[in-house]
Amino acid sequence: MVHIDLTGAGGLRAARPSRCPAELLTTTARTTPTGAVVVAVRGEVDGITCAVLHDQVFGQLRLTHHLVLDLGGVDFLCAAGLTVLVALEKTARQAGAVLCVVARNRQVCMPLTITGLSAVLDLHLDVAEAVVCEHAAPASPPARSRLAAPRRPGDLR
């Protein structure tokens, strides 16, 4: 029988160099001619990087009525990342904006399907489809109030 000491300095565990969140996850944003903002995400969305994702995407949400989140470059998506997606969808809805999520790889589609979020989020297979999403039609200007220029006495009721 062989006895292996895992507590010693020369144990079997190799030390992994720590990497900062910016090395694990990158985001790039661009605005389309329709006014939609496309945020492309690349890397790992986990407990370390979800704060970066949150900050980058929520910052872009303030700039548009239509946000396309392209997760095509995501290698790993954990529960913390799913939580960010739920919070982002809720915030977009409350702000009157539309969130379209591009999910085309197994690493993203599987967690969304297993958790049921595929039925909650507006999912698309590619960015071009998401940019022209029918749910993201620009809001029409508010109708002119009839109280501003009443034409009949009944308009003021």
PDB file of all heavy atoms in Angstrom, residues 13 18 32 39 46 50 59 61 72 76 83 87 104 115 127 139 148:
ATOM      1  N   ARG A  13      -0.938  18.597  -5.379  1.00  0.00           N
ATOM      2  CA  ARG A  13      -1.670  19.764  -5.869  1.00  0.00           C
ATOM      3  C   ARG A  13      -0.710  20.808  -6.407  1.00  0.00           C
ATOM      4  O   ARG A  13       0.151  21.295  -5.701  1.00  0.00           O
ATOM      5  CB  ARG A  13      -2.498  20.387  -4.747  1.00  0.00           C
ATOM      6  CG  ARG A  13      -3.660  19.546  -4.352  1.00  0.00           C
ATOM      7  CD  ARG A  13      -4.483  20.157  -3.258  1.00  0.00           C
ATOM      8  NE  ARG A  13      -4.279  21.585  -3.109  1.00  0.00           N
ATOM      9  CZ  ARG A  13      -4.701  22.284  -2.081  1.00  0.00           C
ATOM     10  NH1 ARG A  13      -5.334  21.700  -1.096  1.00  0.00           N
ATOM     11  NH2 ARG A  13      -4.500  23.577  -2.003  1.00  0.00           N
ATOM     12  N   SER A  18      -3.240  32.696  -9.756  1.00  0.00           N
ATOM     13  CA  SER A  18      -4.520  33.397  -9.684  1.00  0.00           C
ATOM     14  C   SER A  18      -4.614  34.350 -10.868  1.00  0.00           C
ATOM     15  O   SER A  18      -3.632  34.960 -11.272  1.00  0.00           O
ATOM     16  CB  SER A  18      -4.639  34.159  -8.368  1.00  0.00           C
ATOM     17  OG  SER A  18      -3.650  35.151  -8.300  1.00  0.00           O
ATOM     18  N   THR A  32     -25.737  49.696 -32.879  1.00  0.00           N
ATOM     19  CA  THR A  32     -26.168  49.435 -34.254  1.00  0.00           C
ATOM     20  C   THR A  32     -26.909  50.653 -34.794  1.00  0.00           C
ATOM     21  O   THR A  32     -27.307  51.534 -34.027  1.00  0.00           O
ATOM     22  CB  THR A  32     -27.098  48.211 -34.304  1.00  0.00           C
ATOM     23  OG1 THR A  32     -28.319  48.525 -33.634  1.00  0.00           O
ATOM     24  CG2 THR A  32     -26.442  46.998 -33.679  1.00  0.00           C
ATOM     25  N   VAL A  39     -23.685  43.902 -26.712  1.00  0.00           N
ATOM     26  CA  VAL A  39     -22.573  43.634 -25.804  1.00  0.00           C
ATOM     27  C   VAL A  39     -22.147  42.191 -26.016  1.00  0.00           C
ATOM     28  O   VAL A  39     -22.913  41.260 -25.755  1.00  0.00           O
ATOM     29  CB  VAL A  39     -22.966  43.854 -24.324  1.00  0.00           C
ATOM     30  CG1 VAL A  39     -21.799  43.521 -23.406  1.00  0.00           C
ATOM     31  CG2 VAL A  39     -23.429  45.285 -24.104  1.00  0.00           C
ATOM     32  N   ASP A  46     -18.529  33.366 -13.964  1.00  0.00           N
ATOM     33  CA  ASP A  46     -18.582  32.600 -12.718  1.00  0.00           C
ATOM     34  C   ASP A  46     -18.647  33.556 -11.538  1.00  0.00           C
ATOM     35  O   ASP A  46     -18.876  34.747 -11.713  1.00  0.00           O
ATOM     36  CB  ASP A  46     -17.377  31.651 -12.616  1.00  0.00           C
ATOM     37  CG  ASP A  46     -16.036  32.373 -12.680  1.00  0.00           C
ATOM     38  OD1 ASP A  46     -15.992  33.610 -12.484  1.00  0.00           O
ATOM     39  OD2 ASP A  46     -15.023  31.705 -12.911  1.00  0.00           O
ATOM     40  N   CYS A  50     -18.775  37.528 -12.468  1.00  0.00           N
ATOM     41  CA  CYS A  50     -20.155  38.008 -12.667  1.00  0.00           C
ATOM     42  C   CYS A  50     -20.305  39.475 -12.253  1.00  0.00           C
ATOM     43  O   CYS A  50     -21.137  40.179 -12.821  1.00  0.00           O
ATOM     44  CB  CYS A  50     -21.163  37.113 -11.964  1.00  0.00           C
ATOM     45  SG  CYS A  50     -21.063  37.121 -10.194  1.00  0.00           S
ATOM     46  N   GLY A  59     -24.344  49.112 -17.168  1.00  0.00           N
ATOM     47  CA  GLY A  59     -23.941  50.430 -17.642  1.00  0.00           C
ATOM     48  C   GLY A  59     -24.439  50.701 -19.055  1.00  0.00           C
ATOM     49  O   GLY A  59     -24.858  51.810 -19.378  1.00  0.00           O
ATOM     50  N   LEU A  61     -27.094  49.268 -20.411  1.00  0.00           N
ATOM     51  CA  LEU A  61     -28.559  49.260 -20.417  1.00  0.00           C
ATOM     52  C   LEU A  61     -29.129  50.667 -20.271  1.00  0.00           C
ATOM     53  O   LEU A  61     -30.181  50.973 -20.815  1.00  0.00           O
ATOM     54  CB  LEU A  61     -29.086  48.355 -19.301  1.00  0.00           C
ATOM     55  CG  LEU A  61     -30.598  48.178 -19.227  1.00  0.00           C
ATOM     56  CD1 LEU A  61     -31.131  47.607 -20.531  1.00  0.00           C
ATOM     57  CD2 LEU A  61     -30.964  47.269 -18.074  1.00  0.00           C
ATOM     58  N   GLY A  72     -22.231  34.233 -27.156  1.00  0.00           N
ATOM     59  CA  GLY A  72     -21.625  33.236 -28.033  1.00  0.00           C
ATOM     60  C   GLY A  72     -20.188  32.907 -27.687  1.00  0.00           C
ATOM     61  O   GLY A  72     -19.709  31.822 -27.987  1.00  0.00           O
ATOM     62  N   PHE A  76     -18.134  29.220 -20.058  1.00  0.00           N
ATOM     63  CA  PHE A  76     -18.660  28.659 -18.813  1.00  0.00           C
ATOM     64  C   PHE A  76     -19.673  29.637 -18.241  1.00  0.00           C
ATOM     65  O   PHE A  76     -19.418  30.836 -18.188  1.00  0.00           O
ATOM     66  CB  PHE A  76     -17.516  28.437 -17.809  1.00  0.00           C
ATOM     67  CG  PHE A  76     -17.953  27.898 -16.486  1.00  0.00           C
ATOM     68  CD1 PHE A  76     -18.304  26.568 -16.340  1.00  0.00           C
ATOM     69  CD2 PHE A  76     -18.029  28.728 -15.381  1.00  0.00           C
ATOM     70  CE1 PHE A  76     -18.718  26.070 -15.119  1.00  0.00           C
ATOM     71  CE2 PHE A  76     -18.432  28.235 -14.151  1.00  0.00           C
ATOM     72  CZ  PHE A  76     -18.783  26.904 -14.017  1.00  0.00           C
ATOM     73  N   THR A  83     -27.944  34.438 -12.342  1.00  0.00           N
ATOM     74  CA  THR A  83     -28.550  35.450 -11.477  1.00  0.00           C
ATOM     75  C   THR A  83     -28.404  36.837 -12.089  1.00  0.00           C
ATOM     76  O   THR A  83     -29.337  37.646 -12.056  1.00  0.00           O
ATOM     77  CB  THR A  83     -27.926  35.408 -10.068  1.00  0.00           C
ATOM     78  OG1 THR A  83     -28.109  34.099  -9.534  1.00  0.00           O
ATOM     79  CG2 THR A  83     -28.535  36.434  -9.150  1.00  0.00           C
ATOM     80  N   ALA A  87     -31.477  39.368 -13.183  1.00  0.00           N
ATOM     81  CA  ALA A  87     -31.523  40.756 -12.704  1.00  0.00           C
ATOM     82  C   ALA A  87     -31.511  41.734 -13.876  1.00  0.00           C
ATOM     83  O   ALA A  87     -32.230  42.744 -13.864  1.00  0.00           O
ATOM     84  CB  ALA A  87     -30.339  41.029 -11.778  1.00  0.00           C
ATOM     85  N   ARG A 104     -25.913  30.401 -28.388  1.00  0.00           N
ATOM     86  CA  ARG A 104     -25.783  29.434 -29.472  1.00  0.00           C
ATOM     87  C   ARG A 104     -24.840  28.285 -29.151  1.00  0.00           C
ATOM     88  O   ARG A 104     -24.646  27.407 -29.974  1.00  0.00           O
ATOM     89  CB  ARG A 104     -25.356  30.128 -30.751  1.00  0.00           C
ATOM     90  CG  ARG A 104     -24.044  30.850 -30.653  1.00  0.00           C
ATOM     91  CD  ARG A 104     -23.709  31.565 -31.971  1.00  0.00           C
ATOM     92  NE  ARG A 104     -22.603  32.480 -31.802  1.00  0.00           N
ATOM     93  CZ  ARG A 104     -22.737  33.791 -31.655  1.00  0.00           C
ATOM     94  NH1 ARG A 104     -23.939  34.318 -31.670  1.00  0.00           N
ATOM     95  NH2 ARG A 104     -21.685  34.548 -31.501  1.00  0.00           N
ATOM     96  N   THR A 115     -32.518  25.351 -16.042  1.00  0.00           N
ATOM     97  CA  THR A 115     -33.128  26.210 -15.025  1.00  0.00           C
ATOM     98  C   THR A 115     -34.482  26.776 -15.446  1.00  0.00           C
ATOM     99  O   THR A 115     -35.169  27.395 -14.644  1.00  0.00           O
ATOM    100  CB  THR A 115     -32.201  27.388 -14.686  1.00  0.00           C
ATOM    101  OG1 THR A 115     -31.966  28.138 -15.885  1.00  0.00           O
ATOM    102  CG2 THR A 115     -30.898  26.912 -14.076  1.00  0.00           C
ATOM    103  N   VAL A 127     -26.727  37.348 -33.578  1.00  0.00           N
ATOM    104  CA  VAL A 127     -26.863  38.776 -33.273  1.00  0.00           C
ATOM    105  C   VAL A 127     -27.772  39.470 -34.277  1.00  0.00           C
ATOM    106  O   VAL A 127     -28.605  40.299 -33.896  1.00  0.00           O
ATOM    107  CB  VAL A 127     -25.470  39.448 -33.214  1.00  0.00           C
ATOM    108  CG1 VAL A 127     -25.601  40.953 -33.070  1.00  0.00           C
ATOM    109  CG2 VAL A 127     -24.650  38.878 -32.074  1.00  0.00           C
ATOM    110  N   ALA A 139     -40.105  52.486 -29.083  1.00  0.00           N
ATOM    111  CA  ALA A 139     -41.369  52.961 -28.524  1.00  0.00           C
ATOM    112  C   ALA A 139     -41.862  54.153 -29.331  1.00  0.00           C
ATOM    113  O   ALA A 139     -41.092  55.042 -29.678  1.00  0.00           O
ATOM    114  CB  ALA A 139     -41.175  53.349 -27.068  1.00  0.00           C
ATOM    115  N   ALA A 148     -54.195  68.887 -23.165  1.00  0.00           N
ATOM    116  CA  ALA A 148     -53.376  70.039 -23.513  1.00  0.00           C
ATOM    117  C   ALA A 148     -54.127  70.996 -24.433  1.00  0.00           C
ATOM    118  O   ALA A 148     -53.942  72.197 -24.358  1.00  0.00           O
ATOM    119  CB  ALA A 148     -52.091  69.576 -24.188  1.00  0.00           C
TER     120      ALA A 148
END
